[in-house]
Amino acid sequence: MDILLAGHDYNQLRAFIAVAEFLSFSRAADSLGVSPSALSQMVRSFEERVEMRLLHRTTRNVSLTEAGENLLQRVRPAAFELGSAVAQARLSGENPAGTVKVHSFRSAARKHIEPILSSFTERYPEILLDITLDDEVIDIVAGGFDVGLRIGEVIERDMIAVRLGSELRQVVVATPDYLARHGRPKHPRDLINHRCIRWRWPGRATPYAWEFFENETWFSVSVGGPLIFSDKEMALSATLKGIGIGFPIEDTVEDHIAEGRVVSVLDPWCAVFPGLFLCYPKQRHMAPALRVFIDAVRAGA
């Protein structure tokens, strides 16, 4: 069925994209300058217009349906291109300049900043990107940063947060040799009897307790083992050496699983969680240098 996009449809589409990115009606409403109730009605009208449900809504959570995810993947690039075109027109006659201070988790920088650096620095030679790579959770504003990239669950509530990719999942992995010597855990709580490669958030005293999902509820297991790292790449390297069981992000270990270097176990208890977000404080007038950096990261995502 052909659907022509009228003016009010475009506003509804923008509303849907905002909610899909933030996975929050209140944050999306703040970003668009409308009330949450008005935004909810716009999205509902859009769903009626396309004759399909795009969002799952509960009192606490918002998530995309399969149809919503498919639509978002198709329309988001076009919407970003339109936004970039408007921003570029607004900046015509100007050369964005100045320093943009960025605080980024290491994994976020590798995935969303590193790929755009060559084109960005060539296009905007008068912008200095001052990038701090650090997995510590800090206050972006108090730290003197303009923008941050981090996972969704540790973003301050008063920040604008834009989703950069799909949800993430941690997986329990070990080498075939380790499993042959020590056995395969059958439930996450069995991990307390295994040698686990642990990770600690920078700035925190105790290691991260591994989180799992069962019966619609998250629960944690305080594992033990011979090694604790503050760097996830070193933790993965130790896992690949067969020293113990690791708990890396799935997309960092997919090739190792496919090639048989490690085996994934306990998959039924490993659920997805909010992925990487770009976040920055609310501001009426954003510096052109910050705006073009944000646009570049979003377009790259």
Side-chain angles (χ1 to χ4, degrees):
M1 177 177 61
D2 292 333
I3 299 177
L4 298 177
L5 200 64
H8 63 279
D9 293 324
Y10 178 70
N11 290 333
Q12 293 170 0
L13 179 61
R14 286 183 64 227
F16 162 69
I17 292 174
V19 175
E21 288 180 339
F22 292 114
L23 294 179
S24 164
F25 276 90
S26 59
R27 285 183 172 179
D30 284 342
S31 74
L32 296 177
V34 299
S35 68
S37 59
L39 181 63
S40 179
Q41 182 56 49
M42 292 172 70
V43 172
R44 196 172 301 279
S45 297
F46 186 60
E47 289 178 317
E48 292 173 358
R49 173 76 165 127
V50 299
E51 299 180 354
M52 65 179 65
R53 187 172 184 176
L54 303 174
L55 298 167
H56 294 300
R57 306 166 177 82
T58 69
T59 55
R60 297 182 62 184
N61 296 301
V62 178
S63 61
L64 288 163
T65 65
E66 182 178 358
E69 183 69 45
N70 291 337
L71 178 62
L72 179 65
Q73 296 305 318
R74 294 191 64 183
V75 302
R76 184 164 52 180
F80 284 163
E81 182 62 29
L82 284 172
S84 296
V86 172
Q88 196 63 37
R90 189 167 57 242
L91 293 171
S92 61
E94 299 181 27
N95 290 318
T99 300
V100 178
K101 296 194 68 176
V102 184
H103 185 278
S104 178
F105 281 13
R106 290 179 174 86
S107 59
R110 284 192 297 270
K111 192 168 187 177
H112 295 294
I113 297 180
E114 189 174 350
I116 70 165
L117 287 179
S118 179
S119 60
F120 186 88
T121 54
E122 182 175 351
R123 185 173 184 181
Y124 302 108
E126 297 182 31
I127 295 178
L128 170 63
L129 294 180
D130 184 344
I131 303 171
T132 297
L133 302 183
D134 183 6
D135 291 332
E136 184 173 0
V137 180
I138 67 163
D139 184 312
I140 296 293
V141 176
F145 295 95
D146 300 303
V147 62
L149 283 81
R150 55 179 55 174
I151 59 173
E153 61 191 72
V154 295
I155 295 174
E156 299 95 327
R157 292 191 59 83
D158 59 346
M159 301 285 280
I160 299 295
V162 180
R163 188 171 66 156
L164 294 177
S166 60
E167 295 173 313
L168 299 176
R169 188 171 81 120
Q170 288 180 276
V171 290
V172 180
V173 297
T175 62
D177 177 67
Y178 175 91
L179 296 176
R181 288 184 289 117
H182 299 280
R184 179 189 292 253
K186 295 181 171 55
H187 187 277
R189 292 190 177 88
D190 295 340
L191 292 168
I192 62 175
N193 299 315
H194 281 267
R195 295 161 56 89
C196 295
I197 308 301
R198 293 179 285 172
W199 175 79
R200 180 174 54 231
W201 283 99
R204 299 189 184 180
T206 57
Y208 162 72
W210 294 10
E211 296 175 281
F212 300 95
F213 195 76
E214 183 178 47
N215 298 326
E216 304 300 318
T217 303
W218 288 94
F219 68 97
S220 60
V221 178
S222 296
V223 300
L227 295 172
I228 300 172
F229 293 103
S230 63
D231 182 84
K232 291 185 176 180
E233 287 190 358
M234 288 194 69
L236 177 56
S237 177
T239 303
L240 293 170
K241 288 179 171 62
I243 298 173
I245 295 178
F247 198 36
I249 298 296
E250 186 173 28
D251 63 9
T252 67
V253 77
E254 286 176 334
D255 290 344
H256 298 298
I257 294 174
E259 295 172 13
R261 286 188 285 272
V262 291
V263 176
S264 178
V265 298
L266 304 178
D267 279 354
W269 293 273
C270 297
V272 297
F273 59 91
L276 296 170
F277 286 72
L278 183 150
C279 54
Y280 51 93
K282 299 175 185 177
Q283 48 199 286
R284 171 171 282 184
H285 300 295
M286 182 178 291
L290 176 58
R291 167 52 60 195
V292 295
F293 174 74
I294 290 172
D295 287 345
V297 173
R298 292 175 66 180

